[in-house]
Every structure is written in C-alpha cells, then in structure tokens.
C-alpha cells in the first residue's frame, strides 16, 4: 500500500505541475489505472487514498509541488518538458541548424495567386524558424511565351509584405544575364555543353531515339566559336541552342541533352533588346541557386525532372546541389484549375473586372475581399509540405478568417433584392441595434418609419397573418403580400414566427444603394447609412455574411468574403 501511495503522489504532483493547479482526482485515477492495470481490482481501496493524498498536496504551494516531484520522480519532469504541442504544419528541415537560404522564384507574368502565396509563406516561414535569408527571385527570362508583366514585379513585393513575408533580398534574373554568360562559357570549356544547330524537330527525333546529333562531338574550340556567333548575332533566332550534355540514352527522354540557352530577338519588357541569347529556366534557376547560396528548395513534385537535369550542370561545375523537398500541388475546389496566362487572357477579354475581381484566386482578390493575411498564413502552414496533391476548399480558409474578423467587424443591415413593405400604425422613427452583438462598441440608430425594405426571399416565405419581428425595431403582422403590407403590433410582443432584417426607405439620408460583388455573382440592394463610414474595413451584413467595403459611391461597392 505504501508504494501505491507514492505512485499516487507522483501522478498527482505531475498533474498539478503540468496544469499549475491543484491536482484533478479523475485524471490521477485515470493515469494510475492506465499505467498500473493491476490496481484496477483494488479501485475501492485506492480511491479514498487518492483523495487523502490530493488533500495533502492542495495544502502546499506550486513551488513545493515542483520540488517534491523533482525529488521523488525526476523522470516525470523530463516527460513533461519534452512533450510538445502536436507538430501540425511544417516539419523540421534537414541540415537547417545553421540557418537557411530559401527563395521563392516566380515568373512575374501576373500577380501572386493562392498557389504563390503558399510558396511565399512556407519559404519565408522556414527562414523565420531557422534564421537566414528569404529571397524573392524573379525568373523572368522568357520574353515571349511567359512574357513578364512590368507591374507584376511590384505586385509580388506588395503581396509579400502584406503576407508578412518581406524578402531579405530581391533578385531579377533578366538583370543578371551578364553573370550567366561566363558560366556557360566555362561549361563549354569543361566539355559540358555544345552548340546544337539541329532544327527543333530534328533534335526531337534524335532525343526520342536516344541517338546523339552531329553537333555533340564538336571540339571545345568549335563550340566556343559558335557560342560567340550566337552572342554577336551571326547566328539568327532558331539557328542554334546551347545544350547541356547529359546522357542521350537516359531512360527519361526529358533528361537527354537539354537546352540551356536560345536566341530570342523579341525585346524583353524590362531590359529591352540588351540581350539576344536568353537562358532557359533550368539553367537560370540552377545557376542562381548556386550564386545565391540556396540551401533548401521547395519544389513541386511535378518538376522533379528539373532537378535531375540541373544536377548534370552542378557536377560539371563542381557545385553542391541544394537540398530539395518535393511537395504536392494544391487545387482549390472553388477555382478549379487555373493558370496565370489563362487568367490574363480572360481579364484582357473583359471577363473579369481585373486581377482583384472576387472571382479570381489571386492574393489581391483575397485582400479586397477582406481575407486576412494571418488566415492565409495559418492555413498554408497547417497544410505542411506533404508530397501528395491536395484538393482544398476555400471554406477552410474562410473558417480561419472568420475567427479573425468576427470580433472586429461591425454589423449592419443590407437588404438584397429589396421589396417595399408598407406598415400601418405607430412604427418607431428609429431602430436601435448594437454595432457588435457581444462586444460593447455602441449603437447604430437606423431611420425607420412606415415605409421599409425587406428581402424578396424573406417576403416569399411569409403568409398573411404571420407575426414577424423586424429585427431591433418592432413586431408587425403581415396583412398582404402583393404589394407587401403589414400592421404595427408593438415594439416587442414575445410570440412571433420569424425574425427578419430590414433597411430604411432609400433616399440620400436613409439607405444608400449597395452592390456586393461575390465569387458567384452580384447582389444589389439597400443598406444602412453607417456602411459609408467603413471604407476599407470588413463588416458583417446581418443574415448575409462578411464583406469588405471597397468603394464609396452610388452604389457603395462591397466585396464578399464569406458567410
Ligand atoms: Zn544538333
């Protein structure tokens, strides 16, 4: 019995120290029986003993609990301190102990999307965790097919700041071409690259069959001369590319002698026609990762080939390849599959109002809709870096956001699809409603009277004779539906069938016209005058959802966030 008593004391103290409160009898019993099943049969005698021990412990102070626990069961203290919160989110990075250098490298052919937000947030979060450098690198060396947008560079930096992921360094590849040419030349000298003049279709045939083309065995001198001709314009666009020598019999044709540089004469939106020989992405990003000292790369697992190609380059040059984590793609139900180039076309065609249209999955659109950066951060971090493709719903982001905006959003009435309701009797001249249901922030006095607006959908659910509550105003009984009529019953008369909200009759002093842009359409109606004081803020339209007030005019324009 004596050791049972000591066991109880140990677990009771552990419980008390852990929660910094008098030990809980149920928890102590549970732990005791769980760890020592042999005591279960003796529960009847053990139970009063637990009470006795707990009563003694309660008489002593938390400092004494700690001391006593250290004395009788130090092993339980160790258990307490190593037990962490479950590691939801980002796993530890291998080899990150001395800090990391990580980059997010977009092609700025449009603003950041939700997919980019994931890359920005997770890379920068790792740098915050381990210390080091977070780099934004614009991989903008394709002047034609994925033509960069001059405005998009700034948009990326703006959205990074907004996402609390300010980069330590910003690099633009198109401004660093001069650094790449000497590396290409060195690669040729080391026998790692050759100038190939095969027409694309001809080389493809060679590649598919796995046989070298006639240019592969040119001497280093010949290659250096042809490279010079690419640079100085003696070779025209389409006449030659510089290829990295890999293995023409590699089992994956995508790895076989890949192109590193090609001639493009179209002007680049940033540097114009300063260069005519442009690196392809595999070369540019491989070289930059080395030049910048990148330690870890987060890369879509669909781009694994890229690493295999780049490793040849690293071997020729004697560089060490960064550690790579391959992660799965995310797909968002509500937006289906989207690409920046497709979006750009749709915007140019006028299908959307712009890059911040509430129907598009850009960070700017989220911002205009009142989604908080913290909501996106928490969500992306919780998602982790797993290798499986995941399909997510915006609802999870909305749930995070709701926790953040619910407290601060003032409440207002907005009547969408409004119909007029004429009320007979002494309807109060004002309705009085709190700005927030649980936090004391004052009141809104809403002009009322005998002529109000209600939602058509509410009217359609009513019958003549229904006693309804007009929220924060009065009770009425419906007397007709077409047109809608009612009679005043009293300011508050207990029994009723339904609560609906309302808006003052429209007019300059009463209810302003409000238009809500939603991902799936537009709602127009009448709101309260107070909405005009909320520009740039998130409010909740009662019985409707959270919106951000984006534009004051006639109408006031709000973007819908979520319910
Ligand atoms: Zn060739």
């Amino acid at each position: 019995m004596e050791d049972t008593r000591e066991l109880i004391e140990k677990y009771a103290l552990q419980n008390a120290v852990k929660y910094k409160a008098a030990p809980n009898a149920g928890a102590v019993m549970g732990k005791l029986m769980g760890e020592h099943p042999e005591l279960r049969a003796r529960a009847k005698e053990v139970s009063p003993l637990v009470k006795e021990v707990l009563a003694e412990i309660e008489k002593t102070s938390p400092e004494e609990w700690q001391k006593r626990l250290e004395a009788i069961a130090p092993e339980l203290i160790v258990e307490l301190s190593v037990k962490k919160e479950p590691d939801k989110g980002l796993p530890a990075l291998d080899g990150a102990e001395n800090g990391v250098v990580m980059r997010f490298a977009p092609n700025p052919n449009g603003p950041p999307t939700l997919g980019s937000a994931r890359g920005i947030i997770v890379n920068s979060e790792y740098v915050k965790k381990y210390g080091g450098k977070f780099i934004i690198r614009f991989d903008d060396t394709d002047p034609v097919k994925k033509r960069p947008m001059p405005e998009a560079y700034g948009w990326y930096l703006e959205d990074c700041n907004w996402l609390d992921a300010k980069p330590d360094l910003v690099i633009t590849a198109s401004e660093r071409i001069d650094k790449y040419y000497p590396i290409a030349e060195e690669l040729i000298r080391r026998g790692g690259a050759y100038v190939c003049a095969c027409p694309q279709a001809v080389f493809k045939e060679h590649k598919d069959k796995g046989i070298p083309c006639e240019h592969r065995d040119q001497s280093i001198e010949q290659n250096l001369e042809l490279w010079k001709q690419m640079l100085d314009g003696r070779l025209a666009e389409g006449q030659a590319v510089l290829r990295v020598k890999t293995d023409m019999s590699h089992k994956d044709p995508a790895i076989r002698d890949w192109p590193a540089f090609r001639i493009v004469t179209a002007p680049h939106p940033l540097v114009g026609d300063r260069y005519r020989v442009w690196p392809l992405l595999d070369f540019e990003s491989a070289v930059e990762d080395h030049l910048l000292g990148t330690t870890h790369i987060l890369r879509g697992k669909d781009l694994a080939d890229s690493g295999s190609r780049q490793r040849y380059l690293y071997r020729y040059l004697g560089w060490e390849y960064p550690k790579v984590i391959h992660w799965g793609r995310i797909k968002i139900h509500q937006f289906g599959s989207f690409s920046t180039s497709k979006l750009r076309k749709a915007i140019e065609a006028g299908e959307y109002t712009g890059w911040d249209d509430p129907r598009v999955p850009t960070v700017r659109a989220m911002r205009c809709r009142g989604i908080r950066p913290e909501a996106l951060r928490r969500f992306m971090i919780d998602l982790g870096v797993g290798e499986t493709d995941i399909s997510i719903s915006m609802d999870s982001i909305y749930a995070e956001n709701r926790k953040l905006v619910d407290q601060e959003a003032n409440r207002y009435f907005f009547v969408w699809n409004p119909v007029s309701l004429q009320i007979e009797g002494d309807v109060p001249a004002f309705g009085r409603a709190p700005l927030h249901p649980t936090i004391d922030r004052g009141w809104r006095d809403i002009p009322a009277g005998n002529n109000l607006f209600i939602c058509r959908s509410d009217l359609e659910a009513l019958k003549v004779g229904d006693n309804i509550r007009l929220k924060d105003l009065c009770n009425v009984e419906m007397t007709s539906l077409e047109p809608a009529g009612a009679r005043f019953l009293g300011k508050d008369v207990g029994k009723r069938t339904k609560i609906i909200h309302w808006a003052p009759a429209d007019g300059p002093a009463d209810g302003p016209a409000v238009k809500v842009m939603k991902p799936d359409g537009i709602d127009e109606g009448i709101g309260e005058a107070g909405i005009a004081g909320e520009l740039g803020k998130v409010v909740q339209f009662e019985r409707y959802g959270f919106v951000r007030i984006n534009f004051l005019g006639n109408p006031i324009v709000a973007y819908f966030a979520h319910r």
Side-chain angles (χ1 to χ4, degrees):
M1 211 58 189
E2 201 39 46
D3 5 30
T4 311
R5 192 186 170 88
E6 191 170 324
L7 275 178
I8 296 169
E9 196 187 357
K10 268 165 46 173
Y11 294 137
L13 284 169
Q14 186 189 27
N15 182 271
V17 168
K18 183 171 176 190
Y19 296 103
K20 299 184 178 62
N24 174 295
V28 174
M29 267 309 261
K31 178 92 177 173
L32 193 66
M33 298 301 170
E35 303 271 319
H36 302 274
E38 72 278 7
L39 290 177
R40 282 178 200 165
R42 292 166 48 207
K44 272 205 179 124
E45 24 174 336
V46 172
S47 177
L49 201 56
V50 169
K51 274 189 198 144
E52 211 181 294
V53 175
L54 259 52
E56 280 167 27
I57 293 178
E58 270 173 48
K59 283 184 223 152
T60 57
S61 71
E63 293 77 46
E64 285 167 291
W65 301 341
Q66 177 81 29
K67 264 196 205 151
R68 175 84 181 136
L69 185 61
E70 276 166 27
I72 65 168
E75 74 280 4
L76 292 185
I77 296 196
V78 175
E79 191 186 318
L80 274 179
S81 60
V82 294
K83 206 166 181 182
K84 291 189 308 187
E85 291 291 303
D87 226 357
K88 197 177 170 193
L90 301 185
L93 278 186
D94 199 25
E97 300 73 25
N98 301 318
V100 294
V101 176
M102 296 179 70
R103 53 30 174 215
F104 180 67
N107 174 22
N109 63 337
T113 60
L114 285 174
S116 338
R118 187 186 184 201
I120 293 169
I121 290 167
V122 173
N123 277 293
S124 73
E125 188 64 20
Y126 269 128
V127 174
K128 282 182 189 175
K129 185 169 171 182
Y130 291 109
K133 223 189 282 173
F134 170 54
I135 301 170
I136 286 289
R137 189 183 74 219
F138 294 112
D139 284 349
D140 61 342
T141 58
D142 184 346
V144 179
K145 265 209 195 124
K146 290 196 160 185
R147 191 172 171 77
M149 265 178 91
E151 312 90 303
Y153 296 79
W155 290 344
Y156 263 95
L157 303 184
E158 215 178 284
D159 285 353
C160 281
N161 286 351
W162 182 75
L163 287 167
D164 191 21
K166 195 173 167 6
D168 302 295
L169 183 66
V170 180
I171 291 290
T172 303
S174 62
E175 290 168 347
R176 290 160 61 90
I177 304 295
D178 291 334
K179 291 185 190 296
Y180 309 152
Y181 290 163
I183 293 171
E185 203 179 302
E186 180 59 26
L187 191 63
I188 298 172
R189 284 186 200 286
R190 296 189 183 202
Y194 60 97
V195 175
C196 166
C198 292
Q200 225 174 2
V202 173
F203 188 82
K204 189 177 181 300
E205 246 177 70
H206 280 85
K207 189 174 80 171
D208 292 346
K209 289 185 188 147
I211 17 178
C213 75
E214 56 183 300
H215 308 102
R216 201 177 204 263
D217 287 330
Q218 284 159 179
S219 69
I220 289 173
E221 288 66 33
Q222 266 174 306
N223 281 320
L224 286 172
E225 169 56 24
L226 289 165
W227 170 244
K228 221 165 134 197
Q229 292 184 13
M230 283 177 74
L231 292 175
D232 68 18
R234 276 178 285 165
L235 283 168
E237 188 165 324
Q239 280 190 329
V241 296
L242 183 74
R243 289 192 187 282
V244 175
K245 245 187 221 178
T246 62
D247 174 0
M248 282 308 278
S249 55
H250 194 287
K251 61 181 187 323
D252 181 357
I255 312 297
R256 298 175 191 164
D257 291 16
W258 50 275
F261 281 87
R262 62 183 165 168
I263 302 166
V264 183
T265 48
H268 185 278
L270 232 56
V271 296
D273 51 9
R274 207 188 302 165
Y275 306 105
R276 66 190 313 271
V277 175
W278 285 93
L280 283 104
L281 187 61
D282 278 327
F283 184 91
E284 178 267 325
S285 75
V287 167
E288 282 296 2
D289 281 332
H290 171 73
L291 296 177
L292 299 169
T294 306
T295 58
H296 296 75
I297 299 174
L298 289 168
R299 174 178 285 153
K301 67 164 185 216
D302 50 327
L303 301 176
D305 275 356
S306 200
S308 313
R309 286 192 286 265
Q310 293 177 339
R311 281 192 166 84
Y312 281 91
L313 190 70
Y314 272 65
R315 256 174 258 146
Y316 285 121
L317 297 167
W319 298 343
E320 192 191 334
Y321 203 77
K323 292 194 161 59
V324 182
I325 298 106
H326 286 115
W327 62 1
R329 282 172 164 267
I330 54 165
K331 203 169 132 191
I332 300 163
H333 297 322
Q334 283 86 343
F335 294 107
S337 61
F338 59 88
S339 78
T340 306
S341 351
K342 257 196 241 163
L343 267 181
R344 189 168 169 178
K345 281 201 188 100
I347 290 168
E348 281 162 2
E351 281 172 49
Y352 299 116
T353 57
W355 289 105
D356 57 5
D357 188 294
R359 291 167 292 178
V360 307
T362 59
V363 174
R364 316 181 79 64
M366 297 299 138
R367 201 153 113 184
C368 283
R369 289 173 57 192
I371 304 297
R372 287 296 144 85
E374 301 91 308
L376 288 176
R377 289 187 65 87
R378 282 183 204 170
F379 178 77
M380 297 298 179
I381 290 169
D382 282 353
L383 216 53
V385 295
E387 225 186 296
T388 14
D389 290 338
I390 14 183
S391 185
I392 57 167
S393 164
M394 282 301 293
D395 293 340
S396 331
I397 294 177
Y398 297 157
E400 286 291 347
N401 201 59
R402 196 173 295 113
K403 289 183 221 160
L404 299 165
V405 293
D406 182 51
Q407 297 285 302
E408 60 192 67
N410 285 333
R411 270 53 172 176
Y412 293 97
F413 290 158
F414 161 63
V415 170
W416 57 99
N417 219 339
V419 285
S420 162
L421 173 70
Q422 296 289 331
I423 310 165
E424 285 169 36
D426 294 328
V427 180
F430 286 92
R432 181 156 242 241
L435 277 166
H436 194 279
T438 55
I439 301 165
D440 184 12
R441 276 214 291 267
W443 300 86
R444 35 195 240 266
D445 289 314
I446 316 158
N450 295 84
N451 182 17
L452 301 176
F453 281 116
I454 60 173
C455 292
R456 175 165 294 280
S457 51
D458 281 334
L459 178 67
E460 280 166 359
L462 293 174
K463 307 187 299 290
V464 169
D466 278 353
N467 169 354
I468 55 167
R469 171 88 187 143
L470 293 172
K471 196 164 187 283
D472 302 309
L473 181 66
C474 66
N475 287 53
V476 298
E477 183 190 306
M478 294 305 292
T479 52
S480 67
L481 299 176
E482 254 344 302
R487 75 186 175 86
F488 174 74
L489 290 177
K491 284 178 91 167
D492 198 354
V493 293
K495 188 178 179 303
R496 64 207 169 201
T497 53
K498 204 173 179 204
I499 305 178
I500 65 173
H501 70 291
W502 50 279
D506 60 337
D510 296 338
V514 175
K515 181 162 134 180
V516 181
M517 313 280 295
K518 299 185 299 179
D520 56 354
I522 294 173
D523 282 325
E524 286 177 283
I526 307 291
E528 289 177 41
I531 295 169
E534 301 273 3
L535 181 65
K537 292 184 187 153
V538 174
V539 301
Q540 187 186 38
F541 286 164
E542 298 198 30
R543 302 177 66 223
Y544 184 78
F546 291 91
V547 303
R548 182 176 187 267
I549 309 300
N550 277 344
F551 175 73
L552 297 183
N554 188 19
I556 290 174
V557 180
Y559 275 22
F560 187 76
H562 45 76
R563 294 194 66 82

